[in-house]
Amino acid sequence: MKRFLIILLSVCVLFSSCDKNKAPVVEPDVPVTPVDPKPDPDPEPTPKVEKDRSLWVSATVNWSRLRTKGDIKTWVKKIKNYGFNEIILEVKLMEGGVLYESQILPMRTEYNGITRNYDYLQYFIDQCRANDIKIGAAMTVFPTYGLGETAKYKDSDFEGRYCQEILSSAGVTDIRDNSTDGIFPFLNPADPFVRQFVMEVVEEIVSKYDIDSFTLDYCRYQNYHSDFSETTHQAFQKDMGVIISNWPDDIFRIDGEGKEYFGEHYKEFIEWRTSVITSYVEEIGQRIKAIKPDVKFEYWAASWWPLWSTGQNWISDKKNITGSYWWATANYYKTGFAKYLDVFQNGAYMSKLFPEYDSSSVAGQLNNGKNYIKGDCQMYGSYSVSGINFDPGEAAHWCLKNTDGVMVFELCHIENNGYWTSIKKGFDAAIEDGSAYVQ
């Protein structure tokens, strides 16, 4: 028995030894299909941002066209359907107050026998929002009259605060006495009361109304014949550190034969006058942004710079023009106010569109403007469609390709001249080639 167990144990050890030396079994190769990782989703396309395609709507010339709420509703739809994406609405008039419910100025409700008894600005805003079109308010800044005596600001408040002109050897006269076409009753920008008035109007509109932009118009002097009031005399002396004992002859005079003389302090006067307008632009921009930072601050002026006679130095203060003009001091260039704007609406109201580098054309004026602005703000090409010798649609397309946006002047001219289809074609061409979008 003992011997049997020994033999059995030996056999088990032998088999165990054989298993250890046995070659491993190799499984046949099995192809493995790799599992693709879940692909990343396609990125959301970056939304295209449209450049502004703005239409200016003046107040009195469109009064009968926009007499009822139904008229406004119809016209806003038409404006949108023909490719515009913003309306710029004149709401503070030269004469008779404003076109909205104001706590400080009378609301103008009648013109040429046609009455509107509703908040014109608010109804435009409502219709623009309903039609997905932007709305901006435009303010005629200094020409002001016909306010009556019932609102916070009355005609009597502005007695002695209008610009004083020199037109002849007779000396200083009130600008309201000048009946020449194109001469308007400008308030004196250097008067502190006028500044307070302007700022209150701006702040009321921006605070109360849901607007996308705010545009200054007529934020200037009438021309170089004003202002020669005593208010201006004292402010000029204080700001410039000079004494003018022979006022206004040491600045400007006209003799009995109509010859004009520019006095020894004339250049300083031009610089100072321009700095007054620049200070308005700076302060208005600051006040708008303090209330609603997203509201675009815009300024319209004629493209044919220099506008030294009206005090509008809309160019960059990086463009030093010292020595280039007889009327410019060494510091005049510092009054450039483009840096205070979001948008400069460059009013190239010329009768022809091309050649591109001809200063008598729309394109030429706008090309000059880009060189003057130097990127300090956006520049929109602006042109009128009254009395033109070019295709307004081609002009719209050119402006969108070559500037930051376009503003067409004006609703009544487009309608009266039948330019809707042409302008829509220009917009469509810009949409198709991508120039209608911010790059």
Side-chain angles (χ1 to χ4, degrees), residues 49-53 85 400-401 403-405 435-438:
V49 178
E50 292 185 339
K51 294 180 179 180
D52 287 341
R53 305 188 298 272
N85 61 13
L400 289 168
K401 286 187 73 171
T403 73
D404 299 305
S435 60
Y437 303 99
V438 176

Side-chain angles (χ1 to χ4, degrees), residues 403-424:
T403 73
D404 299 305
V406 62
M407 190 280 279
V408 182
F409 186 87
E410 189 273 352
L411 171 62
C412 71
H413 298 317
I414 297 176
E415 176 67 10
N416 293 342
N417 291 290
Y419 286 145
W420 292 105
T421 300
S422 171
I423 292 172
K424 178 66 162 55

Side-chain angles (χ1 to χ4, degrees), residues 156-223:
S156 57
D157 293 329
F158 295 105
E159 283 301 323
R161 304 186 190 278
Y162 283 91
C163 283
Q164 304 297 300
E165 298 182 299
I166 296 177
L167 301 173
S168 70
S169 60
V172 176
T173 57
D174 193 306
I175 195 169
R176 291 175 296 176
D177 297 331
N178 189 338
S179 60
T180 306
D181 285 345
I183 301 297
F184 304 114
F186 276 73
L187 295 172
N188 181 6
D191 190 307
F193 184 83
V194 171
R195 181 179 285 267
Q196 171 189 314
F197 160 69
V198 168
M199 299 306 163
E200 285 192 30
V201 174
V202 171
E203 290 187 329
E204 181 179 53
I205 295 171
V206 176
S207 327
K208 185 176 178 181
Y209 292 96
D210 178 27
I211 55 174
D212 298 294
S213 65
F214 189 94
T215 299
L216 301 182
D217 194 19
Y218 288 92
C219 185
R220 59 177 176 87
Y221 287 88
Q222 175 72 66
N223 53 40

Side-chain angles (χ1 to χ4, degrees), residues 56 217 299-305 307 314 344-356 358-370 372 379-392 395-396 398-399 402-403 405-410:
W56 190 284
D217 194 19
Y299 184 104
W300 185 94
S303 62
W304 37 91
W305 189 91
L307 297 173
W314 51 259
F344 174 58
Q345 297 175 16
N346 196 348
Y349 289 11
M350 318 302 285
S351 61
K352 64 182 182 180
L353 179 58
F354 298 121
E356 284 201 12
D358 180 341
S359 292
S360 65
S361 72
V362 172
Q365 285 287 314
L366 295 178
N367 279 325
N368 289 341
K370 287 189 287 186
Y372 296 147
M379 189 193 83
Y380 290 2
S382 172
Y383 63 96
S384 172
V385 294
S386 174
I388 58 173
N389 297 313
F390 58 84
D391 178 351
W398 190 95
C399 287
N402 293 280
T403 73
V406 62
M407 190 280 279
V408 182
F409 186 87
E410 189 273 352

Side-chain angles (χ1 to χ4, degrees), residues 33-100:
T33 303
V35 178
D36 289 335
K38 187 175 181 181
D40 293 332
D42 292 335
E44 291 290 330
T46 303
K48 292 182 178 180
V49 178
E50 292 185 339
K51 294 180 179 180
D52 287 341
R53 305 188 298 272
S54 307
L55 174 63
W56 190 284
V57 178
S58 297
T60 53
V61 295
N62 290 299
W63 196 284
S64 61
R65 183 173 287 112
L66 300 168
R67 69 177 69 190
T68 70
K69 290 183 176 181
D71 294 332
I72 293 173
K73 180 181 288 189
T74 298
W75 278 101
V76 170
K77 288 180 179 179
K78 180 171 183 174
I79 291 165
K80 173 67 182 291
N81 289 340
Y82 278 94
F84 289 96
N85 61 13
E86 182 182 40
I87 291 172
I88 297 177
L89 193 68
E90 182 187 3
V91 296
K92 189 269 180 185
L93 314 182
M94 287 190 188
E95 178 187 4
V98 296
L99 301 182
Y100 56 89

Side-chain angles (χ1 to χ4, degrees), residues 188 190 227-237 247 269 272:
N188 181 6
D227 170 68
F228 295 101
S229 66
E230 185 57 26
T231 299
T232 287
H233 179 196
Q234 296 303 321
F236 173 59
Q237 292 186 134
W247 174 269
F269 185 66
W272 173 81

